[in-house]
Structure formats: structure tokens, C-alpha cells
Amino acid sequence: MFESGLRLRIPPSPTGSLHLGTARTALYNWLLAKRFKGTFVFRLEDTDRERSKSEFVTDIIEGFKWLGIDWNEGPLRQSEHKARHQMVVNQLLENNLAYECFCSSEELEQIRISQRALNKVEGYDNRHRNLTKQEKDNFRAEGRKPVIRFKLLNKAEITWTDLVRGKMSVNASDLGGDPVIAKDNGDVLYNFAVVVDDHDSAINCVIRGEDHLHNTAKQIPIYEAMQWEIPQFAHVPLILTANREKLSKRKHGDIASISNYLKAGYLPEAINNYLIAMSWQFPSDDHKEVFSKEEAVLHFDLKDLSKSAAIYDPLKLNWFCKEHFQRLSAEEVLTRAKTGGFLEALNNLKEYSPDEQLKIISLMKDGLIKLNDLSNPASAANLLVFCQAPNLQDLKEEAENCLREPEAKIVLSELNNLLETLADLNPEIVQKLLADLAAKTGLKKGKKLFWPIRVVISGNIHGADLVALLSILNKNRLQERVKEALKYLEM
RNA sequence: GCCCCCAUCGUCUAGUGGCCUAGGACACUUCCCUUUCACGGAGGCGACACGAGUUCGAAUCUCGUUGGGGGUACCA
């Protein structure tokens, strides 16, 4: 199908930070480019001068890098192709395939209102298609500046075979009139610029969101007018929120922006996995769910994409996160946490040797969702227990109650006594320590025996394996916290 | 309003006319493991939107209805 070589592109607009949906479209492009050894072009769609910002350019590039989505050409900037765009506009004008339209926005609005009243397609009624020179001069004399409109041939059936959806067809008369391709200030518009740029980059396969379906219908006639080869099109399904609306940067910025995931310490491999799996399934017999984008490359094909929109499910994302954390070595997690700055709030972690730090990470990483959780008190995977004594004045009710049990005091003072006889702790010693403690207190095991210890070290009745916890914490910290608690209970 | 797209458990999906009393995953839930939580293991709950066709036979094909989404800019 692509004898000359597959050429794909991703054209984000730097009017906002990298969007989850853009990342997913980029991923599908990337997957296909890798699979069929194509060329992937990265272009910044920055023709909207007011809304485009350089900080967003940085954000988008950083986002792609973080996800591991690389490209072969670019970043190209649409704004740098102005002269070329102007040239094509003129060519269209000369060939009578485009024309000047002097309608004011008020007139346009009037046209829409009357069309709507008649249950017709809203849009422009092409009234300035055949203006005489005299009429144009009159408008100019009024001080009106024209926009340039492209002549859509009415009634023409615009068809293409979509690589995801199959045969598609839109009637040109349903497109809302001749589209504006250049504003009255000369700036060209998206639907035009994208055609010129894609053609100039020899793009032969356009993968984009389903929200572009009508744009494709508007763009194909431009290719035809210029006698340019029309690329293949593939419209991928959208990502919807839980209440079934298109995921938008404005309304759902927190979950829509890739940079938020980066900052929170999500694993890019988990994001990629989730994004790909949203509309695509690993084809092998086991239909495995957890995979890398590199594994997906081996099997990915547009025809296997789902046609229906997918609803963003944070719980499922979390699951992918856990799965990918479990697959990472403790060394890797520690490195990423350090380089990402996620350990900075955990000052005292430096007191532990590198080897101890690894033990800490491997003890905690299985329930990890994002690196942020390492220092988040609300997370079960936080490392706070290793870094600071709990604030006993401010315990949760269940923890406070546990400490107020009469047995708690006995357990703690016996523990304190036993600790006096010990030097450094290790798992074997802790094992024995707890057994001795059980014997001394007469409490076999269970809540009465272990929960007070947990509360004293972490402020929580739940947590990671106690033996591992205590042996890493070691004698001094443990004893300190036990004494502190005994003091607190005396008050 | 008009145009287009989509339609299997709450969610993501497998399923391309008989292997389907519809399979998997997330979530939820029961039990087991465990000194707690988590992990892990074994179960459970739970769907072919509806109505007509076509066919010996339909989740799968056709039409209609309904529902959902997107689009409808001198934004991208």
C-alpha cells in the first residue's frame, strides 16, 4: 500500500500542554511507523499566533521524550511555511478555485439564523462566489477586507476508505458552505495549512482523532483542486470522561495533560500501555494486557483498532501502573525516584545505606502507583515510616484506640526492655524478638501484640511486613519511637 | 436544528453465521494464604440496546428505532 515508504505525522498545536489524546494518536502513529519502517514527522501547528506559546512547545516536546515517542523529521513549524501557504492560496485564486468573500460576521450570523429556521445545514451560502470586479471594489471602498474561501463543489459526494472505519462518505453540501482558508489579515487556517504541509512533507497516511472526520471531507477537495495525491486516512476513536464528554484540556486539565502524569511520577511505560490498550488488544492467543510499546510494534495494525470511543478509567490506569512497577527492579525504581526528585521530601532517607535504600524500595514498590506516593502520607506505599516518627498527638481514631488498649502499654514496655539486650536488628533477630515478646506478654499474636508496634513506628495499624520493617528501621529508631510512645502514654 | 460516527458485563474488550447456556481484564465481592495492609491463589456478581427481516441457524448480515459521541469558527 505504501510502496514509496510510509510517511506519518503528528501535528500538535502549542496552544496548550500535551494532551492525553494527542499522545495516544502520536503513539498509534509511532507504532505504525516502527512496524512498517516508515518516517514519522513532527510538526507544530502554530498558525494561531495569539494562542500559541513557546512554553507549550517545550511541554509537548518534553512530553513526547518522556513517553519515548521519537520522530524522524522535525519539529517543523507551520508558521515558517507562511510564504508557501500564500503561494498556494494565490494559485487557487488564479485558477478560480478560491475567491474573495467580503461578508461580515454579522451577515454570516444572519445567514445561519435563517438556515436554522428552515432546518437546513448551517453555514455560509456561497453568496460571494461570483462577485464582479465592481462589486468587489465597492466592498473595498466600504473598508471591508476579504477572507479567501475555497470553492467546494456542491452535491459532490466526498468519499474515502478510512483505515479504521472503512468506506466513508460526506455530501459536500452538508459541509456548511465554502470554507475560509485565509483570514482577512492573511493568516491561513488549519484546514488549508494542514493540507499544504502534509503534502509538502509527502505524508501518505494521516492518523488523527475522530473529531476530524468532517475536516477530512473538507480537506480532500483541496488535494483534488491542487491535483495532489490524497493520503490514506485513519480516524481513531476519542477518549471520553466518565460522564461521556470529550476529554478536553480546559475542563479536565488534571487528567488530560501528560505533564501532570510526568510531575506526579507515573511510569511512562504504564501510560503508554494504557493508552494503547484503550482501543487495541494484543492479538496473540493470550491477549496479554501488560506490554511495552516495543512489544506492541510487532503486531500493531490500524485495522485492529476499536471504532468506538473509550472512557478514561483512572482505576484501570492505576492497575497498569502497579503492574509496571512490579516489573521494575528496585534499583530502577530508586534511580527514577532520585533523578525525578521524588525523594527530596524524604530527607532522612539519606541516613540509610544504598543497600538499605534498595531494601526499602523493594519492600514498598509493589503497591506503588506513582513515584509521588513515596512521600505521600495518604499512600500505603509511602516511605515516611523510615524517615520520621509519627505524630502521636494527631493519630487517626483507630490508631489512638489501639494505643489506649491496656495491653499496648505492656507490649511496648516489654519491647523496650527486650531491645535493651539487643544490638543491631536483622530479620532473624526481629523474628526472635517478636517471639520473645509474645512469650513475655502472653499474647500469642495478632492485633493486641502487633498493632501497637505498628502505630508506634508509623502511626498506622496497617503497613508492610513487620519483620522487614523493623529490621530496616533498626534498633535506635525503633527504641526511640517506643520510648516516645511510652512517654506519651504516661501523659 | 443539520451532518457524520459508534453501539457485547459499570468500564476496556474477545467474538467476522453454527465452536456462545458469550471468553478475558479493571472495578466490586466471597473464600484461601497472611500477625495487619497489600501481593498471590480459587470462586461469585455482571452484557449481546430494542424491533423487524435474511437464514435450517444470528452477538455476528440488512433495514428501522432508540441511545451515546463528535462536528457544525476569520480555533486547531
Side-chain angles (χ1 to χ4, degrees):
Chain A
M1 191 186 290
F2 300 103
E3 297 82 4
S4 55
L6 180 62
R7 290 185 62 87
L8 300 147
R9 90 304 194 258
I10 186 76
S13 159
T15 52
S17 57
L18 181 58
H19 187 273
L20 203 62
T22 309
R24 188 171 64 139
T25 307
L27 224 30
Y28 291 146
N29 272 287
W30 184 91
L31 252 14
L32 205 65
K34 296 287 176 198
R35 168 96 199 264
F36 296 107
K37 313 245 180 302
T39 305
F40 189 28
V41 181
F42 173 32
R43 180 177 71 231
L44 286 158
E45 213 96 319
D46 57 351
T47 47
D48 186 333
R49 286 183 286 185
E50 261 123 65
R51 296 199 298 142
S52 296
K53 300 260 166 34
S54 68
E55 65 197 84
F56 294 134
V57 172
T58 312
D59 179 284
I60 290 167
I61 292 175
E62 287 306 309
F64 281 149
K65 279 188 183 160
W66 180 62
L67 293 172
I69 300 173
D70 54 354
W71 54 87
N72 307 293
E73 293 176 20
L76 269 34
R77 283 167 184 271
Q78 193 156 57
S79 58
E80 285 169 5
H81 307 159
K82 277 193 82 163
R84 164 67 173 156
H85 295 150
Q86 195 53 53
M87 205 176 91
V88 180
V89 171
N90 290 338
Q91 196 175 334
L92 251 16
L93 242 21
E94 278 158 28
N95 295 332
N96 201 25
L97 295 162
Y99 61 94
E100 292 176 314
C101 165
F102 292 85
C103 286
S104 65
S105 47
E106 292 76 23
E107 276 173 275
L108 259 15
E109 188 52 33
Q110 277 310 314
I111 296 172
R112 289 210 179 85
I113 288 169
S114 53
Q115 282 164 334
R116 189 169 186 135
L118 295 167
N119 284 354
K120 287 194 167 171
V121 184
E122 277 181 49
Y124 175 60
D125 61 4
N126 304 343
R127 60 175 60 174
H128 286 184
R129 249 192 196 184
N130 301 304
L131 251 28
T132 63
K133 183 169 185 311
Q134 183 57 245
E135 287 170 318
K136 289 183 193 175
D137 287 345
N138 291 346
F139 280 130
R140 271 187 239 278
E142 286 177 32
R144 288 158 90 141
K145 288 173 72 184
V147 300
I148 310 299
R149 287 186 185 270
F150 174 77
K151 261 189 208 176
L152 278 178
L153 291 148
N154 279 344
K155 301 247 163 64
E157 197 76 349
I158 300 160
T159 61
W160 74 92
T161 303
D162 198 284
L163 264 22
V164 172
R165 279 149 212 282
K167 292 237 176 287
M168 299 289 305
S169 143
V170 181
N171 200 306
S173 60
D174 288 327
L175 256 20
D178 292 334
V180 176
I181 57 174
K183 302 201 223 182
D184 61 5
N185 68 4
D187 284 356
V188 292
L189 257 23
Y190 167 76
N191 268 320
F192 172 75
V194 73
V195 170
V196 177
D197 286 5
D198 283 344
H199 172 261
D200 288 353
S201 291
I203 300 302
N204 49 21
C205 180
V206 171
I207 303 173
R208 56 174 39 151
E210 177 184 10
D211 48 343
H212 282 280
L213 240 19
H214 277 70
N215 286 334
T216 296
K218 286 179 187 173
Q219 291 166 20
I220 286 174
I222 300 179
Y223 281 100
E224 285 169 343
M226 293 302 296
Q227 296 181 298
W228 288 340
E229 197 174 328
I230 300 169
Q232 299 278 337
F233 291 99
H235 292 90
V236 304
L238 259 23
I239 302 175
L240 266 32
T241 62
N243 46 341
R244 299 189 169 276
E245 44 187 6
K246 186 166 89 157
L247 190 63
S248 85
K249 273 180 269 204
R250 249 180 229 170
K251 288 188 72 175
H252 323 101
D254 47 340
I255 56 170
S257 286
I258 290 295
S259 56
N260 285 147
Y261 295 92
L262 190 161
K263 283 183 217 140
Y266 278 87
L267 251 25
E269 41 273 75
I271 302 284
N272 284 334
N273 195 162
Y274 178 53
L275 253 20
I276 296 170
M278 251 177 150
S279 304
W280 185 81
Q281 190 168 195
F282 212 83
S284 54
D285 289 339
D286 60 341
H287 290 305
K288 71 172 161 187
E289 310 248 353
V290 182
F291 52 80
S292 68
K293 67 187 196 310
E294 286 72 20
E295 288 176 280
V297 165
L298 274 19
H299 306 277
F300 184 77
D301 204 327
L302 291 172
K303 71 170 168 46
D304 299 320
L305 278 179
S306 161
K307 290 190 188 68
S308 44
I311 293 173
Y312 176 86
D313 181 358
L315 260 18
K316 185 95 181 204
L317 207 212
N318 287 353
W319 178 76
F320 278 110
C321 292
K322 282 190 202 167
E323 291 293 322
H324 281 276
F325 264 118
Q326 285 182 17
R327 283 163 172 76
L328 244 40
S329 68
E331 285 88 346
E332 181 66 27
V333 175
L334 186 59
T335 304
R336 293 203 200 190
K338 275 184 179 162
T339 53
F342 292 99
L343 264 24
E344 271 160 28
L346 273 4
N347 265 326
N348 301 338
L349 205 61
K350 296 194 200 89
E351 292 173 10
Y352 294 88
S353 70
D355 190 51
E356 286 170 325
Q357 291 187 15
L358 281 181
K359 278 188 189 147
I360 290 174
I361 296 287
S362 38
L363 185 61
M364 307 301 278
K365 84 177 172 70
D366 277 6
L368 209 52
I369 290 172
K370 51 190 191 294
L371 294 169
N372 237 352
D373 292 338
L374 258 18
S375 61
N376 177 4
S379 166
N382 79 73
L383 266 34
L384 263 14
V385 57
F386 298 103
C387 299
Q388 52 185 250
N391 180 3
L392 297 173
Q393 328 289 333
D394 191 26
L395 288 175
K396 273 184 285 185
E397 200 183 334
E398 53 181 13
E400 176 72 26
N401 290 346
C402 165
L403 223 47
R404 292 297 173 189
E405 293 281 337
E407 293 90 341
K409 201 166 167 182
I410 302 168
V411 167
L412 293 175
S413 48
E414 281 304 334
L415 176 58
N416 190 37
N417 294 340
L418 285 167
L419 278 171
E420 297 289 353
T421 69
L422 295 171
D424 278 357
L425 302 183
N426 66 36
E428 292 72 36
I429 294 172
V430 172
Q431 202 71 259
K432 182 167 182 308
L433 170 67
L434 293 178
D436 290 349
L437 187 61
K440 286 256 187 202
T441 58
L443 299 162
K444 287 272 174 275
K445 53 180 182 178
K447 297 177 185 178
K448 300 266 189 207
L449 180 60
F450 298 107
W451 283 11
I453 304 176
R454 287 191 175 282
V455 171
V456 157
I457 59 170
S458 70
N460 248 305
I461 56 176
H462 305 304
D465 179 64
L466 194 59
V467 172
L469 222 44
L470 296 185
S471 49
I472 297 172
L473 213 48
N474 222 331
K475 181 187 163 181
N476 288 346
R477 291 188 195 83
L478 178 56
Q479 201 166 22
E480 223 170 83
R481 293 183 197 186
V482 170
K483 284 190 196 302
E484 200 58 40
L486 286 169
K487 229 190 287 171
Y488 172 71
L489 287 176
E490 292 302 329
M491 286 180 355

